[in-house]
Amino acid sequence: MGDSLYNKIGGEAAVNAAVDIFYRKVLSDARISGFFEGVDMDRQASKQKAFLTLAFGGPNHYTGEDMRRGHAHLVAKGLNDSHFDAVMENLGATLTELNVPAELIAQAAAIAESTRNDVLGK
Amino acid sequence: MKRIIFEGQSYDCKETESILDCLTTNGVPVPSSCKAGVCQTCLMRALQGSVPPESQRGLKSTLVERNYFMACSCYPVEDMEVALSGTGAGKMPATVVALESLNSEIICVKLHPSGPFEYRSGQYVNFFRDASTARSYSLASVPKLDDCIELHVRKVPQGQVSTWIHESLSPGDTVEISEASGDCFYVPGNPDQGLLLIGTGSGLAPLYGIIRDALLQGHSGPIRLYHGSLIVAGLYLMEELRQLARECLNFTYTPCVSEGAAPEGFSPGIVLDVALKDTPRLSGWRVYLCGNPAMVNAAKKKTFFAGASMRDIHADPF
Ligand SMILES: Cc1cc2nc3c(=O)[nH]c(=O)nc-3n(C[C@H](O)[C@H](O)[C@H](O)COP(=O)(O)OP(=O)(O)OC[C@H]3O[C@@H](n4cnc5c(N)ncnc54)[C@H](O)[C@@H]3O)c2cc1C
Ligand code: HEM
Ligand code: FES
């Protein structure tokens, strides 16, 4: 675990630092903010934390099937590749803002990217 | 369809039904209030069957261990036997010591609990009108400063519990209250942090407790309170708060009125706007928001965008 991506990025402290920045970006991104509105902010923030932990390769129990089920109601509302790309962009921008080295950003992006088909229910 | 056993009777719980829905539609009185897994009024205990974790979110670890859960957010995954949170466990009698008017619609209810009562200022208790009707009220008192526990109860027109408290209670009466719960309170350990507190109406109750608790615990960073109402008559404790601001230089009090011109000593406008105009950058600040749900929800978002961390924003909408 010592040299996992999660630990290299900075573990839970990094997730905590990233969650506010990422969530602010998502809420102010008109392309996707609609999916995140109207939900209790605290609950939503804890889900952002789950998302980032997953992208950083940290401890989580999510399966592809969970991702499929967890986003099915959003797919029904029109969630598609363009929204997925927007989330990827916000993830990259968040990590850049936190001065995470480019090669680690690329690894996190690859993990997130690997969930695309499940998230989009393809 | 899961089978729910309550007091020896069996009820069918549909997939889309919470245990609260299931029992109440069958005429079993289970107290409830927020119906959103927040207030813990609908606390029940599982005697048999596994408890879905969503229905225990935010409960004290001691309660989780004893299989307590919130019936309103419990969608059973298997058959369960359940009981009401129980006599004694979370409830105790208290004597009404005084009922004092704070303004035309809000009274201060002073209670003397019958036994040891642990709480932190800003948490709330559930106040029972009868076994199945309870509402939450925030604790404005400070354990080390006040002998009684104090609640600020606003009279809601036709409100079942608040109107009963206003019109039917007298000093000397015995009532039932729950243990204190909620996480809107001061946590020591970061004495230089700025504290921004915004409230409307009786939302001042928890804030009044939190501020005095923070000062008592030696908080040295800025503490800024904004209390808003439509008109001056909707505010209260103004003299006490002005006096506190004279005594404690790190504490400022800004009463706001949103309707018409503000008299001398009051800021005109919506309380949230006034607060954010004074403190537009909130990185590193801790924020407490209480009162009108529309204000609280807007304020959560705006203070978050102003830089406060989600983890530092504490809110009780009511
Ligand atoms: C965490 C928390 C802390 C709180 N702290 C405080 C506090 O410190 N001070 C305070 O004053 N309050 C506080 N509250 C609010 C309080 O718990 C009650 O919600 C409030 O007193 C109203 O309760 P009630 O029984 O008087 O009114 P209810 O009987 O619940 O009625 C509320 C309103 O809804 C209307 N209504 C009720 N039933 C119906 C119906 N079937 N159809 C249409 N309209 C209906 C009523 O006319 C009334 O206007 C808090 C709430 C929470 C969740
Ligand atoms: C990039 C890959 C993605 C991953 C790895 C991911 C991961 C997650 C995770 C782990 C959760 C929490 C699930 C839970 O515990 O309930 C979640 C919830 C959520 N995700 Fe994603 N997600 C991704 C993409 C997206 C996209 C593109 C959107 C929309 C634009 C989105 C919107 C949401 C919303 C709104 C929730 C909360 C749903 C709810 O309230 O139940 N996600 N996601
Ligand atoms: S009714 Fe408030 S937690 Fe269930």
Side-chain angles (χ1 to χ4, degrees), chain B residues 33-34 38-39 124 133 135-139 151-163 202-203 205-206 316-318:
Chain B
S33 176
C34 73
V38 184
C39 69
Y124 55 85
T133 317
R135 296 289 181 272
S136 312
Y137 295 98
S138 310
L139 291 149
L151 314 171
H152 300 166
V153 179
R154 183 172 73 90
K155 184 173 172 179
V156 173
Q158 271 101 52
Q160 287 183 61
V161 176
S162 64
T163 303
S202 58
D316 267 338
F318 54 80

Side-chain angles (χ1 to χ4, degrees), chain B residues 32-42 70 72:
Chain B
S32 68
S33 176
C34 73
K35 300 212 170 87
V38 184
C39 69
Q40 306 183 8
T41 303
C42 62
M70 289 170 279
C72 71

